[in-house]
Amino acid sequence: MGYGVRLLVWGEYACFTRPEMKAERVSYDVITPSAARGILESVHWKPAIRWVVDQIHVLNEIRFDTIRRNELGSKISANTIKSAIKGKKPMKLQVITMKEREQRMTMMLRKPSYLIEAHFELTAHAGETDTAEKHYNMFIRRARKGQCFHRPYLGCREFDAHFAYVEHDEAISESFYRDSPDIDLGWMLWDIDYSREMEPIFFRPVMRQGIIEVPDLLKKGGKQG
Amino acid sequence: MKNERTHQPITKRYDFTILFDVTNGNPNGDPDAGNLPRMDAETGHGIVTDVCLKRKIRNYIEIVKQGAPGYGIYVTEGAVLNEQHRQAYYALRGEDGAKAAKLEPKDKAEARELTQWMSDNFFDVRTFGAVMSTKVNCGQVRGPVQFTFARSIDPIFASEVTITRQAVTQEGQEKDREMGRKHVVPYGLYRMNGFVSAHLADKTNFTEEDLQLLWDAIVNMFEHDRSASRGEMTLRKLVIFEHQSGLGQAPAHQLFDRITVQKVHDRPARSYKDYQVSIERETLPEGITIIEK
């Protein structure tokens, strides 16, 4: 835990889609640990490390907004691509939006802002040169400069995330829920265990004064992303 | 089956901002509100979704490239005439593909191959990514280019215009004309921020050439999207922040804050001249170049 980092992330909108309501997307109330991990990974990640989210501070009030968009009903089928590559069947490798259109609602969060506290662990992939210190320094160097592999996002790619590194001695802005009673957020996706056929792992977070403690629920030998 | 594009993927990160305006038109209708222009109910600002603008990019590429090899558009709007041409192309080179399929029977490798093939052949897959339903993980490809919601600088005012038609739809109707409605924004200036990731470009082989085509598409996307409902839409500015490296040199939000758009008077804006756009070029972080188009 000596190498913990704090990253402030914010944006205009966010949608951390509830898996049980994803046809017409409805966001969770707060960012999921898995989405927070994705943001950290977009700044720095190597197979040698695994990010573990420790705490999530919910800084702004939880508010929702809706938007309805024209979306597509189908995904690309691997088999049609295969036959197209082989040149056997007549090509039908396009989606005609007129036929596939579906109007779907998104219930998204508005003006979200979070402080993510996390650390990382070295994995079995770590080589001799992969020291915790090296990766820690790489992360903070990048985060301070605003560097990233790709622009991080808040649940969906159209909701871009801005981020800023919060130094250890830097004060954290106060949460909207600082003086609120505890809020039970219900069952929420924690993350997906990619080594167990994408087994989703759920947890039941409670927000205390705007802070959510996140346990590390990965089973032994499990791995993410 | 590889097409002729043999160039290297881009190696620099880009953050960009576009400013576009609409005069007497509806930039993006809201299906939830009877096709009224999309609006932020709380603040009255106009919204244009990311997908709406991506559609225009796709249409532009389709017009310019006419389905040339490597520039197919996967998500198309209407009938596709190039299907036949492409079929011939595949028939000619079919053997290669068949051989490749035998290389790795393992699913993950094959999934990669399928994705690569899609990226090579379709500009929109290479640029924006796509979701492929392979058996192994969800097989989602993130493209290097990321669009966000565009938002108007000031709250917009949508007015409803009732129009008449001097004919009826069905025979035997008593009245001799019908009335319809149009929703228009008298004037609105919108801003969208976008991102291009070099890291993801590497995965879909999005090249320098593709990038230039993307900028062209952005500059011209409204020029080929004229219709009765859109009114006059114009791209006013494309400001690109080019970083020296793939990871970038500065936080995107700080770069975006350098562009300020202000109204020059108190009256409702009715043209682009009512706004002043300024870009703070002094003390630009090292390694950042501003490109304007």
Side-chain angles (χ1 to χ4, degrees):
Chain A
M1 279 293 293
Y3 289 110
V5 301
R6 304 197 298 183
L7 196 70
L8 183 69
V9 299
W10 70 98
E12 199 70 30
Y13 296 110
C15 183
F16 309 106
T17 311
R18 290 174 181 269
E20 68 274 25
M21 287 187 273
K22 60 181 184 184
E24 303 240 36
R25 286 181 215 97
V26 176
S27 177
Y28 279 119
D29 286 2
V30 300
I31 188 171
T32 59
S34 112
R37 169 180 64 83
I39 291 176
L40 295 165
E41 285 176 356
S42 73
V43 178
H44 176 65
W45 179 78
K46 285 270 152 61
I49 64 168
R50 171 175 87 89
W51 281 107
V52 182
V53 177
D54 302 312
Q55 271 191 353
I56 292 166
H57 297 235
V58 180
L59 302 178
N60 289 356
E61 187 187 2
I62 297 165
R63 288 155 74 210
F64 286 92
D65 211 340
T66 58
I67 194 153
R68 189 180 289 272
R69 287 176 283 186
N70 289 332
E71 298 183 14
L72 291 179
S74 61
K75 290 186 225 164
I76 307 175
S77 138
N79 281 333
T80 29
I81 306 175
K82 252 188 249 169
S83 57
I85 293 178
K86 289 178 188 157
K88 276 183 188 157
K89 279 186 201 152
M91 276 284 298
K92 269 278 173 262
L93 251 192
Q94 262 155 335
V95 174
I96 315 286
T97 50
M98 304 283 262
K99 294 179 193 154
E100 298 268 346
R101 188 172 294 163
E102 283 179 6
Q103 291 197 332
R104 288 201 208 148
M105 176 86 95
T106 302
M107 193 163 156
M108 64 218 177
L109 294 166
R110 200 191 161 89
K111 295 255 179 209
S113 174
Y114 306 103
L115 183 101
I116 301 166
E117 293 207 34
H119 71 278
F120 61 80
E121 281 171 3
L122 293 176
T123 66
H125 294 287
E128 277 177 21
T129 56
D130 286 306
T131 62
E133 198 179 358
K134 171 181 126 179
H135 287 287
Y136 171 76
N137 284 322
M138 278 173 91
F139 178 86
I140 57 173
R141 201 161 55 231
R142 286 183 185 177
R144 278 182 187 141
K145 285 197 216 159
Q147 296 181 320
C148 50
F149 281 131
H150 59 82
R151 174 67 15 200
Y153 47 87
L154 298 161
C156 303
R157 286 196 82 196
E158 58 271 37
F159 307 133
D160 63 306
H162 294 311
F163 63 93
Y165 184 71
V166 181
E167 306 289 340
H168 278 280
D169 49 3
E170 211 174 313
I172 302 170
S173 29
E174 285 186 339
S175 166
F176 175 85
Y177 296 97
R178 179 172 42 109
D179 302 318
S180 305
D182 293 359
I183 297 172
D184 182 346
L185 293 163
W187 285 98
M188 232 173 105
L189 176 74
W190 177 77
D191 210 324
I192 287 165
D193 189 342
Y194 288 84
S195 65
R196 281 168 224 272
E197 299 187 344
M198 311 258 306
E199 186 183 289
I201 306 168
F202 290 85
F203 76 129
R204 182 146 195 175
V206 174
M207 182 162 71
R208 295 202 166 87
Q209 282 139 23
I211 300 169
I212 299 163
E213 293 288 340
V214 183
D216 184 3
L217 298 174
L218 207 58
K219 290 178 194 128
K220 212 168 165 22
K223 97 176 196 260
Q224 293 157 320
Chain B
M1 180 179 330
K2 290 270 179 320
N3 56 54
E4 290 87 73
R5 299 170 54 259
T6 51
H7 306 285
Q8 291 300 304
I10 55 164
T11 54
K12 291 173 181 168
R13 171 182 142 188
Y14 298 85
D15 300 317
F16 63 95
T17 285
I18 60 171
L19 288 170
F20 61 92
D21 63 359
V22 57
T23 312
N24 292 327
N26 184 354
N28 187 198
D30 187 346
D32 262 344
N35 208 36
L36 226 78
R38 287 186 192 276
M39 226 193 263
D40 181 328
E42 242 174 43
T43 62
H45 285 83
I47 286 173
V48 173
T49 59
D50 57 318
V51 284
C52 170
L53 295 170
K54 282 185 194 170
R55 169 83 271 149
K56 299 189 200 313
I57 303 286
R58 289 188 164 104
N59 290 351
Y60 176 82
I61 302 294
E62 212 170 12
I63 294 168
V64 169
K65 288 293 179 180
Q66 302 272 325
Y71 294 94
I73 292 295
Y74 179 67
V75 185
T76 63
E77 224 170 343
V80 184
L81 295 170
N82 297 312
E83 221 49 83
Q84 298 306 319
H85 307 243
R86 204 166 289 132
Q87 222 172 303
Y89 177 79
Y90 293 128
L92 271 174
R93 303 234 193 139
E95 298 273 308
D96 275 350
K99 232 188 284 164
K102 281 179 212 149
L103 276 175
E104 277 270 14
K106 265 176 70 188
D107 273 69
K108 237 179 181 163
E110 198 178 49
R112 248 202 305 278
E113 212 168 300
L114 295 172
T115 321
Q116 197 51 55
W117 188 86
M118 287 299 283
S119 297
D120 284 344
N121 285 283
F122 293 97
F123 182 83
D124 54 343
V125 174
R126 189 157 76 234
T127 307
F128 300 126
V131 177
M132 309 218 319
S133 61
T134 51
K135 280 153 257 160
V136 228
N137 73 58
C138 59
Q140 198 165 329
V141 195
R142 279 178 303 185
V145 180
Q146 186 176 347
F147 276 20
T148 63
F149 283 7
R151 185 173 260 280
S152 66
I153 305 297
D154 286 309
I156 55 162
F157 173 79
S159 60
E160 196 178 311
V161 182
T162 303
I163 48 172
T164 57
R165 184 171 67 172
Q166 303 290 350
V168 289
T169 321
Q170 277 181 331
E171 248 180 288
Q173 279 187 323
E174 281 172 28
K175 50 186 182 179
D176 53 2
R177 57 182 180 185
E178 287 181 341
M179 293 179 106
R181 278 196 192 98
K182 267 177 116 163
H183 296 284
V184 299
V185 178
Y187 184 79
L189 180 64
Y190 290 73
R191 175 176 180 170
M192 187 202 79
N193 296 332
F195 311 91
V196 185
S197 151
H199 180 68
L200 296 177
D202 191 48
K203 294 190 173 165
T204 65
N205 199 24
F206 179 84
T207 64
E208 183 62 37
E209 195 186 347
D210 291 329
L211 183 73
Q212 294 311 325
L213 189 59
L214 175 76
W215 298 143
D216 284 352
I218 289 176
V219 170
N220 293 305
M221 66 182 161
F222 300 115
E223 304 297 321
H224 304 279
D225 187 56
R226 304 288 180 211
S227 85
S229 63
R230 295 272 178 257
E232 283 170 59
M233 294 188 72
T234 310
L235 190 104
R236 294 295 179 174
K237 226 174 222 336
L238 163 61
V239 184
I240 306 161
F241 296 99
E242 184 184 74
H243 297 252
Q244 267 312 303
S245 62
L247 285 172
Q249 260 77 25
H253 66 276
Q254 286 176 12
L255 297 175
F256 291 144
D257 285 348
R258 290 176 169 269
I259 304 173
T260 47
V261 185
Q262 269 178 325
K263 208 153 68 170
V264 292
H265 54 66
D266 289 340
R267 298 185 303 280
R270 283 295 177 266
S271 87
Y272 186 56
K273 285 181 191 143
D274 296 337
Y275 285 99
Q276 192 174 9
V277 180
S278 53
I279 306 168
E280 171 66 52
R281 290 162 196 279
E282 313 278 292
T283 65
L284 206 62
E286 208 179 314
I288 303 282
T289 319
I290 293 183
I291 305 165
E292 266 189 81
K293 286 189 191 242

